[in-house]
Amino acid sequence: MLWFFLIFSTACWGLAEIFYKKGNVAHEKYAHLKTTVFVGIFFGLYSLVILLTQDVELKYLPANFIRYLPVAACYIVSMMCSYFGVRYIEESISDPIENTSCAFVPILCAIFMHEKLSAGIIAAIVVVVVGILGVGFFDAQGKTDRKRVWGKKLALIAIAMPFCYMILDAIGTFLDCYYTDDAANTVLIHVNDGNLEHTANCCYEFTFLLVAIGIYIFLRTKGVKLFDGGEAAPIEGVAPAKTTMQKISGQRNKMIAALFETGGQATYLFALSEGTGIAAVILGAGTVIISFVLSRFLLKEKLSVLQYAFIGIIFIGIIALALQGA
């Protein structure tokens, strides 16, 4: 079942990236916030399933909720950065950069937990960094297009978002390792080896739900309904009345992305509960490769030859890192 869980998670998260791109369109002002709300709702529902089916100490959950907040905050803010950035930049560029967060976790572990880095891990990190720099340096045409369409400031913010995700996700993953590595020494209270990951996951997903509720309230204060607008480009000068089903359909890609995100989270969690380090191998390389291939064929994204070459270098570095940690 382990391989089924990991492969299913990889496929779900790879597909989620495509629907994130399709749902977070530039012309819909609050698209990234609506996506966050949908993900929070699905995460909250799944957490209820975990509470009902797994051995999670409910009475200690509020205390653990607060203790796990630094980890959850890193993950949630990083995902919101991704949702915003993908409104303006290609998924083919965004996702490889974001998933290089795995290259920085060993560095954080070496600095703060005094873990030693092997020569192979150091070489793989260097390869990943070279790939990231190459993708950025040879994005001249994309940067020119974004500056012309969205302005210099927004273009700069957009390309910075996957890097923000990369940094925050790396910090979150590092903290997660600290929180969930050993039930006997974790910061969380009244947990054991059997429910540690599930307790941490509930804390994370309930935090996401609370953030989603807060964002929903914010949108309502702005007079924006969750199903206002839509993902299709608006027709200038035309504002036809929409039925309820048409309004819901207008946000379908965001909801599909949230569903795939939750599905991937669910099966990945059960894979973790089996106690294996192979998860990083499958997810680190698999998710980015699936989303990259699908963005080429489903989203029709095209990059320069040099960009493809440097993204290939990133793939090699991620796979090498994953294999080093397997």
Side-chain angles (χ1 to χ4, degrees):
M1 290 298 289
L2 169 63
W3 280 96
F4 169 79
F5 288 147
L6 290 178
I7 293 172
F8 186 84
S9 290
T10 303
C12 280
W13 282 343
L15 286 165
E17 295 295 339
I18 300 303
F19 285 100
Y20 281 140
K21 176 61 179 176
K22 295 178 69 174
N24 288 282
V25 290
H27 66 261
E28 189 177 9
K29 184 177 180 181
Y30 296 108
H32 55 293
L33 296 183
K34 291 181 181 180
T35 298
T36 306
V37 173
F38 286 124
V39 173
I41 292 172
F42 277 91
F43 273 12
L45 292 173
Y46 175 66
S47 287
L48 288 176
V49 174
I50 289 294
L51 286 176
L52 294 173
T53 59
Q54 302 298 318
D55 181 27
V56 176
E57 293 282 356
L58 184 59
K59 63 181 178 180
Y60 298 113
L61 201 57
N64 284 328
F65 177 93
I66 295 172
R67 290 166 180 261
Y68 197 74
L69 191 58
V71 186
C74 286
Y75 284 149
I76 294 168
V77 175
S78 69
M79 291 176 72
M80 292 177 67
C81 289
S82 177
Y83 303 155
F84 181 83
V86 83
R87 291 173 61 188
Y88 305 102
I89 62 177
E90 297 86 345
E91 176 65 24
S92 304
I93 292 177
S94 175
D95 202 45
I97 293 174
E98 290 175 356
N99 279 278
T100 54
S101 60
C102 65
F104 295 92
V105 175
I107 296 175
L108 292 174
C109 290
I111 294 173
F112 296 103
M113 299 179 71
H114 307 292
E115 294 186 1
K116 293 183 179 180
L117 299 181
S118 67
I121 289 178
I122 293 173
I125 291 173
V126 171
V127 169
V128 168
V129 172
V130 169
I132 294 173
L133 294 176
V135 170
F137 284 144
F138 290 100
D139 186 35
Q141 184 61 45
K143 289 178 180 177
T144 300
D145 291 341
R146 286 189 285 272
K147 288 178 182 178
R148 185 181 68 251
V149 176
W150 309 113
K152 183 177 180 180
K153 181 179 179 180
L154 184 53
L156 182 61
I157 292 173
I159 197 64
M161 289 298 100
F163 290 95
C164 291
Y165 175 99
M166 174 183 67
I167 294 169
L168 289 170
D169 186 70
I171 295 172
T173 302
F174 164 74
L175 291 175
D176 214 3
C177 293
Y178 176 72
Y179 275 72
T180 62
D181 182 59
D182 182 7
N185 298 311
T186 182
V187 176
L188 303 179
I189 60 174
H190 293 278
V191 293
N192 53 55
D193 290 333
N195 68 8
L196 177 57
E197 289 89 358
H198 291 295
T199 299
N201 182 70
C202 283
C203 293
Y204 164 51
E205 295 193 343
F206 274 130
T207 304
F208 214 124
L209 176 61
L210 290 179
V211 170
I213 293 171
I215 291 174
Y216 178 75
I217 294 171
F218 167 77
L219 291 175
R220 296 301 291 145
T221 62
K222 292 289 187 179
V224 178
K225 296 180 180 180
L226 193 59
F227 294 99
D228 275 351
E231 295 159 358
I235 301 173
E236 188 175 353
V238 179
K242 293 182 178 180
T243 65
T244 300
M245 289 306 298
Q246 286 174 328
K247 291 179 180 179
I248 294 174
S249 178
Q251 303 296 327
R252 63 185 180 278
N253 287 317
K254 299 181 185 67
M255 291 186 284
I256 293 172
L259 179 61
F260 278 125
E261 183 73 41
T262 306
Q265 182 74 13
T267 49
Y268 173 58
L269 191 65
F270 282 104
L272 282 183
S273 67
E274 295 193 17
T276 177
I278 198 69
V281 179
I282 301 298
L283 291 168
T287 301
V288 66
I289 291 173
I290 288 175
S291 66
F292 181 80
V293 172
L294 291 179
S295 65
R296 177 65 182 87
F297 291 100
L298 297 182
L299 302 178
K300 309 299 182 184
E301 293 183 352
K302 295 181 179 180
L303 305 179
S304 69
V305 174
L306 282 172
Q307 284 178 307
Y308 281 124
F310 279 103
I311 287 173
I313 291 173
I314 291 175
F315 288 162
I316 293 171
I318 291 175
I319 293 171
L321 269 174
L323 291 174
Q324 289 286 330

